[in-house]
Amino acid sequence: MREAFDDVLAGTSGGAAFSVVRDGEVLAELWGGSARPGVAWTRDTLVVLFSGTKGVVATVLALLTARGLLDPGERVATYWPEFARNGKEDVRVSQVLSHTVGLPYVEADLPTLDNAGNAAALATQRPLWTPGTRVAYHALTYGYLATELIRRVTGRNVGALLPGLLGDLDIHLGTPAAEDYRLAPVTRAPGYRISTFLSDPERRAIVERMYRGLLDSGEAFNTPEYRRAELAAGGATGTAAAMARLYDRIGSGLVPAPVLAEATREWSAGLDAVNDRPVRFGLGYELADPIGTYGPVEVAFGHSGAGGGRHGAWPADGLGFSFTTNELRAEDVDDRAATLLAALRTCL
């Protein structure tokens, strides 16, 4: 694992970390490079998790389901009455969590960081397709929808629930200013692109509406405002050590087995209707897919993050893993996580 990590690090601008945990035991914990100019990466270096956040939020949703506060088979409108408009009257919670609801972008021109405003807009919006009939990654809107559902059933914002539900893990949604000194600012590798499976220009326009320039222009993701906004689709920060421990704990009883089985079975799969990428989803979690996102295993769950982050679990091996980096690379040329997961498989 150390040799594989050294190879990955040698080709990475900035820094990276990789952690593997099984039954609470650290099997590998590696880090290196620089968090920012003149500052070395350490075990405690925080990074923006981007869509790795969705796996954290999926765990919160599973725990709320275990406590009887949320039912994936229930209508969204049962918890959020205003949602029952424009063809969404019978939309199920499971359709929101498995990216089949048909709301991949917000039509209204609203600030990206406005959770409440974007959720209210989505409640009035008509889906692009009949909910449940197509799957397409809801890059940002997943977060607005999940945040509002959680607020409706708990009365609290999702970031405030993390310590009580996840324990002492070094993962933050609404990162406090006191932790900013540990953060590794994100940079883009030359030639960085999003949606690398997509060539159709019409659907490329949809992608641009989905992401609002967040990843491919500007540096909003490096601002304190972004980290404070509690964006449940991509605004959390964490360490590789903490994320690996999270996925180890999920499989070791944090989420009750029957609830976890439902959350990690296939709820949607196929070619993404917008991005042309093969996808498989559980309830908020990504699942092992045909392009090997989670390494050379048949069963896995977790969530990847823009630019290279990879966080998840291999249930058959009883372990959790996490790769973090502050250099964004395009998916079609980034083999860092794949290299590390292949080495891990060989070790096991």
Side-chain angles (χ1 to χ4, degrees), residues 228-262:
R228 309 281 187 267
E230 297 189 39
L231 294 179
T237 62
T239 65
M243 290 295 286
R245 281 170 172 75
L246 171 63
Y247 280 101
D248 176 55
R249 290 181 185 180
I250 291 170
S252 299
L254 175 65
V255 178
V259 175
L260 183 60
E262 277 293 281

Side-chain angles (χ1 to χ4, degrees), residues 57 61 80 115-116 119 141-154 156-159 173 229-233:
V57 173
L61 291 160
W80 181 3
N115 277 313
T141 55
Y142 169 94
Y144 303 136
L145 296 168
T147 293
E148 189 63 18
L149 273 170
I150 290 169
R151 190 182 70 82
R152 295 287 175 135
V153 301
T154 68
R156 303 176 68 190
N157 292 335
V158 58
L173 186 54
E230 297 189 39
L231 294 179

